[in-house]
Amino acid sequence: LVFLLLLSLQPSILVSGAAYAIRNGSVSPASPTNANSVSFSADGDGSSFPTSMYVHYRRGTGSWVHASMSINSYELGTGFFVFNAARTVGTLSIGSYTYYFTPDSSGTSTTRYPSTGYLSFSVTDGIAPTISNIARSPTSPDSTNTVTVTADVTDAHSSIGSVTLQFSTNGGSTWSSTSMAYSGGIRYS
């Protein structure tokens, strides 16, 4: 009785002579907001495994951040390893980011993923604006009054595009909406 085990591997994307290959990398969540904690991961395999792994990332054209990653490796057979490296960096500022993976802290190794260029993702605004100082005039309207509602609206992470007032005149059975006009400063009415 003969058993045959076949492993199907992607061809290495790295320069020849490397004892392992970094085969893929990703960011999680795939579309983060500035309210999410961001994690990077990379996978690979080869006749050995890296003793260090780094993710290199930057926002826009800013300075590169070189963050060390935790490595888990497993020997699948004599002399054949697979590994996964991961790093959670916490929340990031709104903007477009590029990133790549290498085994060195400087990011200059030819053993990298992707082999050329960069991977990318964007961080969007996921934190709601602050609405304060809500007031109505007159304070006790009757059915003949025109009611004006004012509020201060701010967003520490992005600009205010528009403000919409939702209101009910029948105790919440039905709702209507109207755009609030910018009154100057942070005030809308």
Side-chain angles (χ1 to χ4, degrees):
L1 186 58
V2 176
F3 291 98
L4 180 61
L5 174 65
L6 296 174
L7 293 176
S8 175
L9 298 176
Q10 299 172 344
S12 176
I13 60 167
L14 305 174
V15 295
S16 61
Y20 56 87
I22 307 168
R23 301 230 182 251
N24 59 61
S26 63
V27 64
S28 177
S31 299
T33 70
N34 58 337
N36 297 128
S37 184
V38 175
S39 297
F40 295 94
S41 65
D43 302 304
D45 55 46
S47 60
S48 69
F49 60 91
T51 56
S52 64
M53 184 64 61
Y54 289 82
V55 58
H56 310 275
Y57 65 95
R58 68 179 177 184
R59 188 176 90 176
T61 58
S63 298
W64 287 101
V65 175
H66 310 284
S68 62
M69 302 176 77
S70 297
I71 301 172
N72 294 311
S73 63
Y74 309 94
E75 188 169 11
L76 291 182
T78 304
F80 186 76
F81 295 87
V82 295
F83 68 88
N84 172 267
R87 172 69 186 254
T88 299
V89 295
T91 58
L92 296 173
S93 299
I94 296 169
S96 296
Y97 288 79
T98 52
Y99 67 104
Y100 66 101
F101 302 91
T102 69
D104 67 312
S105 62
S106 66
T108 58
S109 174
T110 57
T111 301
R112 70 187 303 266
Y113 183 84
S115 57
T116 61
Y118 307 104
L119 301 167
S120 64
F121 67 96
S122 293
V123 175
T124 57
D125 188 357
I127 300 173
T130 301
I131 303 170
S132 61
N133 299 320
I134 301 168
R136 74 171 178 235
S137 177
T139 55
S140 299
D142 61 35
S143 61
T144 64
N145 296 121
T146 299
V147 177
T148 301
V149 176
T150 58
D152 292 343
V153 183
T154 60
D155 192 325
H157 305 284
S158 60
S159 62
I160 303 294
S162 65
V163 177
T164 302
L165 172 68
Q166 293 186 326
F167 62 94
S168 176
T169 58
N170 58 12
S173 295
T174 59
W175 290 86
S176 299
S177 299
T178 187
S179 294
M180 296 181 74
Y182 176 67
S183 303
I186 59 173
R187 181 66 98 184
Y188 289 80
S189 60

